Amino acid sequence: MTTPEGTEFDVVVIGGGPGGYATALYGASAGLSVAVVEKDKVGGTCLHRGCIPAKELLETAAVFRTVSGAQEFGIQSEQPTVDFAVSQARKQKVVDQLHRGLIGLMKGRKITTFAGTGMLLPGSAVRVDAPDGTSTELQATDIVLASGSVPRTIPGFDVDGQTILTSDEVLDLDRLPPSLAVIGGGAIGCEFASMFADLGSQVTVLEALPTILPGCDGDVVAVVGRAFRKRGIVVHTGVQVSGHRPRADNGTTVLFGDGQSVAVDAVVVAVGRRPLTDGLLAGGTGVQVSERGFVVVDQYQRTTVPGVWAVGDVVATPQLAHVGFAEGIVVVRSILGEPVAPVNYATVPWAIYCQPEVAFAGLTEEAANAAGIDIVVQKDPFGGNSRARILGDTDGLVKIVAERMPDGRCGRILGVHMAGPWVTEQLGQGYLAVNWEATPDEVAQFIQPHPTLSEAFGETVLALTGRGLHVG
Ligand code: NAD
């Protein structure tokens, strides 16, 4: 069989989100010929319906907070109001700029993008069904599945884009709901709760588990919980949501717990995301999909079919853009036969952009105790940090979990947990310490500039050596 020109590649990637485009960019920069099949826009959920627009709107909330608190600095200004249409337009501008940049980057690397829905066929082929009804068959030595995920919903809450919303719809609202219920107190739920509360909405969070931000360190969760309460966010944990009763005026009353209810203008359902494999695999490909719908891969991202790989939210690993990036690199290096270490999911960096921000890598105190590891814990609250005082943003702490050696001294740093101002930008050295398996003695030799927020990390490490300056 002859192959039409321009349809044969070293690598075909199905899905142009972070997992897919990272695989394509890294592969192309290593000299592979790469095609990406994308049914919507390259950039995927992260760029168009997730991380980037959400963080842009969270920045809008931060600007609002800053202006609201300006008088404390002697800056006289009127109480600010939000023109949400302008906020949305700015968000869209940022997204569009990054989208154009990504398209340019991909073109520059000679990556061919096919607009359409990709389906893996048996053998090393992908069928692309274009929006105009035509189909093209692509051949490749290696195929990477990177079709991502979509928001989960819950029974009884049919998403209508008006009253019942998922993150997809929230990010496109043209007005601020005066009140809203957020179902799910995970990363997405807490980010939206924080953003809407800062912009003036009355927010209620309904979380099924005993705590918001499950999986985060308890001290970090306590900081966020306190800050939420202070800003008037009502949090109910350990509650089941049983349904809702729509009101004639477009709002609804959400029923939860033991006969409790809350009347709101909108409901944000943020109960996780499910892998998107609908129509991804033709019959007989041999690619195994788990009961929960994830494509099954080994630690090198190999599916059950040789030459077919999977990365990003479609596999059962942390649903984070940067994890998708890392998995894409593992795939390309494996294809090239280069040495590569699988992604260590236990120590990936996490960054949650609610106010106060949360960032961490490695073991929490609770997880270390549950695993029976003998640990030393040291904390430094931002209240004692000069830069945080200058900013007027002192809620939060840096907490380090290190192993305790038999002689009582600290061994490796196992986990770094932060909540507070700009901690998503401060995690870097904590992440490095955890992944380098560094000890406090080693890290404490490095100087932190003064006055900075990052001193809190340095102070905590210093205290773990047994001799702190301001801490310990
Ligand atoms: P999540 O799994 O992090 O949180 C969902 C929360 O909803 C959990 O706390 C869960 O207990 C709760 N829940 C589930 N069903 C419920 C119900 N019926 N009633 C009440 N609560 C219920 O998922 P998410 O926040 O939707 O985020 C989706 C994915 O995207 C996650 O993997 C998340 O880590 C990732 N993400 C990360 C970030 C970030 O790190 N900044 C931001 C956005 C999304």
Side-chain angles (χ1 to χ4, degrees):
M1 193 181 101
T2 56
T3 315
E5 212 182 317
T7 58
E8 234 178 284
F9 299 89
D10 293 328
V11 181
V12 170
V13 184
I14 303 180
Y21 76 67
T23 309
L25 289 172
Y26 195 77
S29 61
L32 296 171
S33 69
V34 183
V36 171
V37 184
E38 171 56 55
K39 66 181 166 61
D40 191 1
K41 292 179 192 160
V42 292
T45 299
C46 168
L47 179 50
H48 300 284
R49 295 174 300 283
C51 321
I52 304 298
K55 271 84 242 183
E56 202 284 341
L57 291 176
L58 278 153
E59 197 53 35
T60 299
V63 171
F64 190 88
R65 271 198 317 274
T66 302
V67 178
S68 303
Q71 285 196 0
E72 188 193 329
F73 290 78
I75 310 293
Q76 301 305 326
S77 67
E78 305 260 310
Q79 179 57 27
T81 56
V82 189
D83 184 339
F84 204 52
V86 175
S87 310
Q88 283 286 14
R90 183 181 191 277
K91 174 215 82 181
Q92 202 51 48
K93 192 170 146 198
V94 170
V95 169
D96 291 344
Q97 283 166 336
L98 291 169
H99 183 216
R100 280 196 300 277
L102 179 60
I103 291 171
L105 200 56
M106 291 173 73
K107 275 198 183 135
R109 300 260 172 102
K110 310 243 179 310
I111 295 165
T112 310
T113 303
F114 289 88
T117 304
M119 177 190 272
L120 178 73
L121 304 175
S124 292
V126 171
R127 193 179 85 205
V128 182
D129 292 320
D132 64 5
T134 58
S135 290
T136 312
E137 200 170 305
L138 310 178
Q139 306 290 328
T141 317
D142 289 278
I143 294 167
V144 184
L145 308 175
S147 49
S149 64
V150 288
R152 280 185 203 282
T153 51
I154 47 179
F157 287 81
D158 294 332
V159 176
D160 59 14
Q162 295 293 318
T163 307
I164 311 296
L165 317 161
T166 67
S167 52
D168 284 358
E169 294 78 28
V170 173
L171 291 167
D172 282 331
L173 283 177
D174 54 8
R175 67 190 163 86
L176 282 169
S179 63
L180 74 160
V182 178
I183 304 179
I188 294 184
C190 284
E191 287 183 356
F192 281 141
S194 180
M195 176 191 101
F196 281 112
D198 282 341
L199 294 176
S201 302
Q202 174 57 53
V203 179
T204 305
V205 178
L206 304 171
E207 165 59 51
L209 292 177
T211 167
I212 56 168
L213 297 175
C216 292
D217 189 275
D219 282 310
V220 162
V221 175
V223 167
V224 175
R226 270 197 308 274
F228 275 18
R229 269 196 300 282
K230 242 198 259 175
R231 305 220 299 291
I233 300 173
V234 178
V235 177
H236 295 278
T237 52
V239 293
Q240 292 297 325
V241 175
S242 49
H244 74 110
R245 271 200 303 266
R247 291 196 314 263
D249 63 352
N250 278 338
T252 192
T253 299
V254 180
L255 312 172
F256 65 94
D258 204 5
Q260 291 165 279
S261 65
V262 59
V264 289
D265 297 288
V267 179
V268 179
V269 181
V271 295
R273 300 180 62 84
R274 71 167 175 86
L276 183 58
T277 52
D278 317 355
L280 177 68
L281 306 169
T285 62
V287 170
Q288 193 186 337
V289 174
S290 74
E291 257 176 37
R292 293 170 59 219
F294 291 100
V295 173
V296 175
V297 287
D298 68 5
Q299 57 178 349
Y300 293 99
Q301 312 304 133
R302 290 181 290 216
T303 70
T304 42
V305 175
V308 180
W309 315 72
V311 299
D313 284 8
V314 80
V315 300
T317 57
Q319 292 176 318
L320 301 167
H322 47 277
V323 165
F325 295 162
E327 290 173 345
I329 292 172
V330 169
V331 168
V332 172
R333 292 182 69 98
S334 302
I335 288 172
L336 294 168
E338 293 175 356
V340 61
V343 178
N344 181 359
Y345 297 106
T347 57
V348 297
W350 288 81
I352 303 172
Y353 299 75
C354 51
Q355 164 68 17
E357 291 187 347
V358 170
F360 62 96
L363 272 185
T364 62
E365 182 176 358
E366 295 83 358
N369 285 333
I373 302 170
D374 196 8
I375 53 170
V376 186
V377 172
Q378 182 67 53
K379 306 172 200 177
D380 183 17
F382 276 109
N385 175 280
S386 47
R387 190 79 194 278
R389 283 275 154 214
I390 293 164
L391 294 173
D393 197 353
T394 51
D395 277 351
L397 84 168
V398 172
K399 172 172 175 179
I400 298 181
V401 177
E403 67 181 343
R404 187 195 301 275
M405 304 303 283
D407 63 3
R409 293 174 61 82
C410 277
R412 290 167 306 168
I413 294 174
L414 302 174
V416 175
H417 305 272
M418 302 176 166
W422 289 101
V423 294
T424 55
E425 297 293 340
Q426 295 179 60
L427 180 65
Q429 41 187 342
Y431 169 77
L432 216 57
V434 169
N435 282 273
W436 213 292
E437 301 186 343
T439 64
D441 280 330
E442 289 163 338
V443 179
Q445 296 184 37
F446 299 104
I447 300 169
Q448 307 289 334
H450 175 78
T452 58
L453 295 168
S454 61
E455 279 179 289
F457 173 75
E459 290 281 345
T460 316
V461 172
L462 211 50
L464 279 171
T465 67
R467 292 185 197 158
L469 279 182
H470 305 85
V471 180

